[in-house]
Amino acid sequence: MKKRTKHQRKQDRELFLLCLPTTIKTLIFAYIPMVGIYMAFVDYKPSRGVFGSEFVGLDNFRYLFQSIDAQRIFSNTIFYNVLFIILGTIVSVTLALLLFEINNKVALKVVQTSFFLPYFISWILVSVILQSLLDSTGLLTNFIYSITGTKISFYTTPGYWRLIIVLVYLWKSAGVSAIIFYATLISCDKSIYEAAEIDGASRWQKMLYISIPYLKRMIIITGIMSGANILRSDLGLFFYATQDIANLYPTTDVIDTYIWRILRKSGEFKVGTAVGLVQGVVGLGLTLLANKIIKKVEPSAALF
Amino acid sequence: MTKIKLKKFVGNTPIYIPLLIFTLFCVVPFVVVISGSFSDNASVVSNGVRLVPQVFSLTAYKVIFAFFSKITRAYGVAIFVTVIGTVLNLVIMVPFAFAISKREFTFGSKLTFLIYFTVMFSGGLIPTYILIKRYLGLYDTVWVLILPLLASPAYIVLLRVFFQSVPKALYESAAIDGASEFQQLIHVGIPLALPGIAAIAFFSMLMYWNDPYTAIIYIEDSELFPIQILLTQMTQYINYIKSNASASGGLISSPADIPTTTILFALGIVASGPMIFVFSFFQKYFIKGLTAGSIKE
């Protein structure tokens, strides 16, 4: 490494000062809690503190993986994330391709703004909306009743929630990701399309052979990055939208809601920390793996 | 001529129909909420919400107005947290993103990794909770709603992309004129990255305004509840009244002066309205901000 000049040292000092507040905030709120991970390996007693409690090795993990909850929360979390990645990508890419075909400016604006709307809504309002559709006098419940003559009780039947959760997920996020994909498409070189038109390519051929390959890089990156978060879920979707109804846990309980419940109700902090650690380690491992894969497939898109 | 137009129109239906369906899918729930909030409670309870109010009524809003002091208080907390949080967020993130966007900065990649690592790995919710409650003394203060959410890595990465698009020559010529790094940030970096900063400001406002978790974990004092939490509490309270009313077989009727169903919609409008309003100002920047991540670095 070259020796830094006097000018460079001054510049480094100034730039480092600009970085200081964010660095301190991150060290306090993100790095100090990492020390607390030690709690996953002790029999935590609040009165004795994290480091005064007895070291028990992997007991907390054993307890966790032997509990009936473990299988449920891990399988639900993975199940939904896999579905979200597949369906989310298909729906938002399709919508983006269709948006790209619209030339009418007014229509485009209206559609874009509508796609954004769900993104601005807090999860609490989402739960109110769902209730108005699904409870005993809900719009949807009544509609189904008027057609089939049966009244479905959504809030006591876990089976329906697999579909409901996926639909709510798509409602909240597919519109925005469609706009992101669409914005990428716009940046594609127009002359390629013109050349294809001259060669007599149909609209569908252009989609298939120009647009989709153009989006490939982004699809791969977003897909792999969400894959790295396979053990994490949006608490808003699984806690608020389902209203935390215990009857529905077989299909709605995920790792994050489990930790959330420990924090707010049962107080088995050591087990909660242990689950959190599993999430963290898997997340770290998968991100590193994802980066390796991206480097092979699409080197320019690698994260680091 | 008309034949060609007709053919074109028919050819476009495979494009328009799916888009129309998804647009309706996005919009209809909002229509339901707005219509519900202006409906008469009794008609909603017996027939459900319609897309247009079956019996028009302002009762829900009138009842909310009766809780005026509680609601203005919760609004006040939410506005304080959103405004102060967003200002602080920009004040600390913008200089950081500027610094790490400079290739000459010796510690740039190390600091970037320091931030990015927290995305991949974290201590988890429970150690953070113990830190904040037992060691930092932030429990039950308004600052706990602001500080832990500052400097989110995703926003820093986006901001960095914006600063990277500033032509290097502009910084260099400022440096030749004797501008310090801080002066370069103020006079060159910020003006040129302004659309990106505006987008991040909007993201940040949205994050603080809609944050449903922090207050639930760390706030006990009801005076410090932001509007979203007040909405949660009222929702739970109203659902409690409703379920007790039906469990008793109608013996305990829900208090006649509380429109149990429509008030939820009205509260939803009250809690979400401001962000939709702010969005109309920021829409242009917001789209830029969303697309920034996809720009090749």
Side-chain angles (χ1 to χ4, degrees):
Chain A
M1 199 175 147
K2 270 188 297 177
K3 207 165 178 264
R4 282 183 289 153
T5 61
K6 197 177 163 198
H7 167 75
Q8 246 174 337
R9 274 205 300 276
K10 179 173 170 281
Q11 193 186 20
D12 278 344
R13 202 166 48 237
E14 285 177 4
L15 288 173
F16 186 73
L17 273 179
L18 293 177
C19 289
L20 214 50
T22 292
T23 309
I24 294 172
K25 187 268 157 185
T26 307
L27 288 176
I28 295 177
F29 286 95
Y31 282 87
I32 294 181
M34 289 181 197
V35 180
I37 285 171
Y38 181 65
M39 202 160 86
F41 303 98
V42 299
D43 182 20
Y44 178 66
K45 298 265 184 301
S47 56
R48 298 172 64 180
V50 175
F51 295 98
S53 300
E54 192 197 344
F55 182 81
V56 293
L58 295 176
D59 276 9
N60 294 327
F61 295 90
R62 241 170 255 137
Y63 175 87
L64 166 71
F65 286 110
Q66 278 164 6
S67 72
I68 12 166
D69 296 325
Q71 202 217 338
R72 178 170 81 190
I73 59 176
F74 278 90
S75 61
N76 275 340
T77 308
I78 295 170
F79 170 82
Y80 284 114
N81 277 328
V82 170
L83 264 188
F84 290 171
I85 296 170
I86 296 171
L87 289 177
T89 311
I90 293 174
V91 172
S92 52
V93 169
T94 309
L95 289 172
L97 292 172
L98 296 176
L99 265 179
F100 193 58
E101 295 293 321
I102 293 192
N103 296 316
N104 184 330
K105 279 220 165 94
V106 180
L108 199 58
K109 184 103 189 153
V110 171
V111 172
Q112 275 190 353
T113 308
S114 320
F115 278 19
F116 271 132
L117 274 178
Y119 188 76
F120 299 114
I121 297 309
S122 70
W123 282 108
I124 296 158
L125 182 55
V126 172
S127 99
V128 170
I129 294 176
L130 269 183
Q131 195 183 327
S132 75
L133 294 173
L134 302 177
D135 77 359
S136 56
T137 57
L139 201 61
L140 197 69
T141 321
N142 280 349
F143 181 68
I144 293 171
Y145 179 69
S146 69
I147 293 177
T148 64
T150 43
K151 229 173 182 139
I152 296 175
S153 173
F154 286 105
Y155 284 99
T156 54
T157 322
Y160 295 114
W161 284 82
R162 292 210 189 276
L163 179 65
I164 296 170
I165 283 177
V166 171
L167 285 178
V168 173
Y169 171 81
L170 290 176
W171 182 76
K172 193 92 163 73
S173 62
V176 172
S177 16
I179 307 264
I180 299 175
F181 281 120
Y182 168 72
T184 314
L185 271 182
I186 300 182
S187 70
C188 183
D189 191 357
K190 290 279 175 302
S191 60
I192 303 175
Y193 288 95
E194 282 156 15
E197 261 162 55
I198 293 168
D199 289 346
S202 75
R203 172 186 268 167
W204 307 109
Q205 284 171 325
K206 280 187 282 176
M207 263 188 201
L208 209 59
Y209 297 113
I210 305 176
S211 301
I212 293 180
Y214 188 72
L215 287 178
K216 193 185 85 186
R217 174 178 176 267
M218 220 183 131
I219 295 172
I220 293 174
I221 300 170
T222 47
I224 291 180
M225 287 326 291
S226 346
N229 281 324
I230 197 120
L231 289 188
R232 299 188 190 279
S233 329
D234 191 329
L235 204 50
L237 175 56
F238 290 93
F239 176 76
Y240 282 104
T242 65
Q243 304 202 0
D244 195 30
I245 293 171
N247 272 336
L248 303 178
Y249 284 167
T251 56
T252 62
D253 201 18
V254 291
I255 298 173
D256 282 296
T257 49
Y258 178 76
I259 299 178
W260 182 251
R261 265 204 312 284
I262 286 179
L263 184 62
R264 300 192 55 222
K265 288 175 190 159
S266 72
E268 285 273 19
F269 277 17
K270 51 192 181 178
V271 182
T273 311
V275 196
L277 183 56
V278 173
Q279 269 186 320
V281 169
V282 170
L284 182 61
L286 286 179
T287 314
L288 296 177
L289 183 71
N291 196 54
K292 257 203 172 138
I293 298 173
I294 296 177
K295 255 187 191 160
K296 279 224 171 96
V297 185
E298 203 62 66
S300 62
L303 289 166
F304 41 78
Chain B
M1 190 66 200
T2 44
K3 239 181 184 171
I4 296 171
K5 264 192 182 169
L6 188 71
K7 206 178 163 197
K8 208 180 159 194
F9 184 77
V10 173
N12 272 335
T13 44
I15 305 285
Y16 280 107
I17 295 212
L19 281 177
L20 185 70
I21 291 174
F22 196 79
T23 305
L24 288 176
F25 181 57
C26 288
V27 174
V28 165
F30 287 89
V31 179
V32 169
V33 174
I34 294 169
S35 156
S37 75
F38 287 108
S39 294
D40 176 59
N41 195 54
S43 80
V44 169
V45 169
S46 52
N47 302 326
V49 194
R50 300 292 166 92
L51 293 180
V52 177
Q54 207 174 13
V55 183
F56 184 83
S57 158
L58 285 173
T59 326
Y61 288 99
K62 281 183 192 145
V63 173
I64 290 187
F65 204 69
F67 293 105
F68 190 69
S69 68
K70 253 199 146 100
I71 284 179
T72 40
R73 174 86 204 172
Y75 250 122
V77 174
I79 290 171
F80 179 84
V81 168
T82 305
V83 171
I84 302 292
T86 300
V87 169
L88 270 180
N89 220 349
L90 292 179
V91 165
I92 76 168
M93 285 196 305
V94 167
F96 187 93
F98 165 78
I100 61 169
S101 77
K102 287 207 151 190
R103 291 199 188 282
E104 316 88 89
F105 184 28
T106 315
F107 314 114
S109 57
K110 287 200 181 75
L111 286 170
T112 311
F113 186 77
L114 180 96
I115 297 292
Y116 199 79
F117 185 74
T118 64
V119 180
M120 300 186 277
F121 187 78
S122 77
L125 191 58
I126 288 171
T128 311
Y129 173 81
I130 293 178
L131 172 77
I132 287 176
K133 187 163 182 182
R134 289 187 53 160
Y135 299 101
L136 296 180
L138 290 172
Y139 193 79
D140 225 7
T141 67
V142 75
W143 299 104
V144 81
L145 299 175
I146 295 176
L147 299 178
L149 277 69
L150 288 176
S152 142
Y155 300 160
I156 291 176
V157 170
L158 274 180
L159 273 175
R160 188 183 64 160
V161 175
F162 282 103
F163 278 115
Q164 276 167 342
S165 66
V166 175
K168 225 178 140 190
L170 292 175
Y171 291 133
E172 278 161 5
S173 67
I176 290 167
D177 291 344
S180 68
E181 292 297 327
F182 181 70
Q183 285 165 330
Q184 287 176 40
L185 167 67
I186 300 291
H187 298 297
V188 183
I190 291 180
L192 287 170
L194 207 56
I197 296 173
I200 298 299
F202 180 72
F203 279 129
S204 169
M205 282 195 270
L206 198 64
M207 169 186 77
Y208 278 113
W209 187 269
N210 282 343
D211 172 21
Y213 321 116
T214 320
I216 288 201
I217 312 178
Y218 298 111
I219 300 287
E220 274 175 38
D221 181 0
S222 65
E223 292 278 285
L224 288 177
F225 282 158
I227 188 79
Q228 301 294 338
I229 303 306
L230 189 71
L231 177 63
T232 322
Q233 302 247 316
M234 290 180 112
T235 311
Q236 282 165 356
Y237 175 66
I238 287 163
N239 281 335
Y240 175 77
I241 296 179
K242 270 165 77 173
S243 64
N244 279 11
S246 57
S248 66
L251 283 177
I252 312 168
S253 59
S254 55
D257 50 336
I258 299 182
T260 46
T261 303
T262 56
I263 196 172
L264 291 178
F265 298 126
L267 280 167
I269 302 268
V270 168
S272 288
M275 273 302 119
I276 305 251
F277 182 71
V278 171
F279 172 61
S280 56
F281 286 104
F282 276 86
Q283 185 169 16
K284 172 166 97 190
Y285 300 118
F286 181 72
I287 293 174
K288 269 192 188 160
L290 277 178
T291 54
S294 64
I295 294 168
K296 212 171 161 177
E297 283 174 39

